[in-house]
Amino acid sequence: MSRPIVVDNVVALRAQIRAWRQDGLRIAMVPTMGALHDGHISLVRIALEKADRCLVSIFVNPTQFAPTEDLDKYPRQLARDLERLAEAGAHLAFTPDVAGMYPTGFATKISVGGPSSGLESDFRPSFFDGVATVVAKLFLQALPDYAIFGEKDYQQLCVVRQLCRDLDLPVQIIGAPTVRDAHGLAMSSRNAYLGEAELEVARKLNAILRRTATALAAGADEAGATDEAGRALVEAGFQRVDYIAARENLTLAPWRSGRDGRLLAAAWLGKTRLIDNVEIPSA
Amino acid sequence: MSRPIVVDNVVALRAQIRAWRQDGLRIAMVPTMGALHDGHISLVRIALEKADRCLVSIFVNPTQFAPTEDLDKYPRQLARDLERLAEAGAHLAFTPDVAGMYPTGFATKISVGGPSSGLESDFRPSFFDGVATVVAKLFLQALPDYAIFGEKDYQQLCVVRQLCRDLDLPVQIIGAPTVRDAHGLAMSSRNAYLGEAELEVARKLNAILRRTATALAAGADEAGATDEAGRALVEAGFQRVDYIAARENLTLAPWRSGRDGRLLAAAWLGKTRLIDNVEIPSA
């Protein structure tokens, strides 16, 4: 088990990447905000299958948090993250700081339309601008061949694909299945906020989504099925449901019955906001 | 005199660039909207001094024109442009079409703050979003080592520098001095719109700017000097002055007397809008 190289600036990052390129090695990147869990480690594994070198960025990106959100309390645990990356066999951890990523005078924003509209954007209006801008920047710093994103943040995955297609970013995006605990709960750094009783409730989210997706695939009325799912979440113990919505698989346009789709949801448990999504298989 | 390779799609462009890279060649790009004049050719010359291969893109970018502007009548003369590029020794002309650059579903916009505020933006509010987005896209299609931009479009040059710095675009931007006719008129594709009498008037723009910059450098009051310059332009025959403003050299923040600065102006001659700018030397 060898520890990853740790670099915190673009010059050092590019020097290492240039050296790898000169050796003809293929590079895969896993952008993260740290607080690594089994979901992230599954992305590293996919990166290592696709490429010769795996680079993991760890950066809690302030521009994707609203002032009311959990930027300050978002879990930071670099030493433990580096241990997990060493176990997983990642080759490099890129750990820039905020001043390095957004120096004084920074003034550029990337807005991706299409799949960014609705869902998360209805509740976090600047979120995807922050994501698109930092992802483009990380990609341009490293210029990897591949980048791996979890399907857990399904809308984000669609937005990143659109970003790369629209700007001709020369990075191939790979979506990876959500990793779940034995009860179906999607791995998330924010699960660390949950107490035992809340965890019990959280574990019901995925089952309710799966049941609803099965009903939709079998022809159930969309509005009725999602309303029922919303009520089921509240009965299960969620305080508030931001959305439950069926969407087309890639564009996230409104879903049409009989097509491949995705059922996406966000709901609140105390002060913690959880998201999840499941496939709606085509008829 | 060998003719440039002409490619109209990203796959072919990247194949040629990959071949050059494999030969260890350095690549400089000159992004243009065609209708090439001596100003563009001077950029090609600088590209050939800096790098082994010069790539010129020719694309009249619709997203930087407002609906009221001259997109439809903007001069298009590809055969003549290719002849000029052959004479100048450019190696490749990249001539994408609108559907190739902005396929159905295209939905991404890059906004650069800082130097984009005011001046042109006061009169062409979406102009720099269009410029930043297409320039980023062209850079990502080609990934050149250098890109050459004329100082004629001085605010654009500052915006492109800011774009590259903010997004870590791995392209070095080189600004090139404005090429002028014997009477000081800056070369511009839009000069083609001017009749003989209008050309006579247009030629006075640069002299008035130079005179005003000299006065500012010598300590003249800024508001008084620029007001006087505006009156002089109207007396010379310009119908309307959009702006005459002194700005800091790089940030385009308000200029402070005694510092390096730039005096920038835009004015109308009939239906043609001309821009120009000159240095304000520091005291």
Side-chain angles (χ1 to χ4, degrees), chain A residues 10 14 101 105-114 133 136-137 140-141 143 162-163 165-170, chain B residues 10 14 101 105-114 133 136-137 140-141 143 162-163 165-170:
Chain A
V10 178
R14 285 183 171 160
M101 289 292 277
F106 182 93
T108 296
K109 185 176 78 177
I110 303 183
S111 304
V112 179
T133 305
K137 197 169 156 89
L140 288 168
Q141 290 170 337
L143 286 179
Q162 176 92 30
L163 168 75
R165 194 169 44 228
D166 283 356
L167 293 186
D168 292 295
L169 266 159
Chain B
V10 178
R14 286 182 171 161
M101 289 293 277
F106 183 93
T108 295
K109 185 176 77 178
I110 302 183
S111 304
V112 179
T133 306
K137 196 169 157 87
L140 287 168
Q141 290 169 338
L143 286 177
Q162 175 91 33
L163 168 75
R165 195 168 44 227
D166 283 356
L167 293 185
D168 292 295
L169 267 159

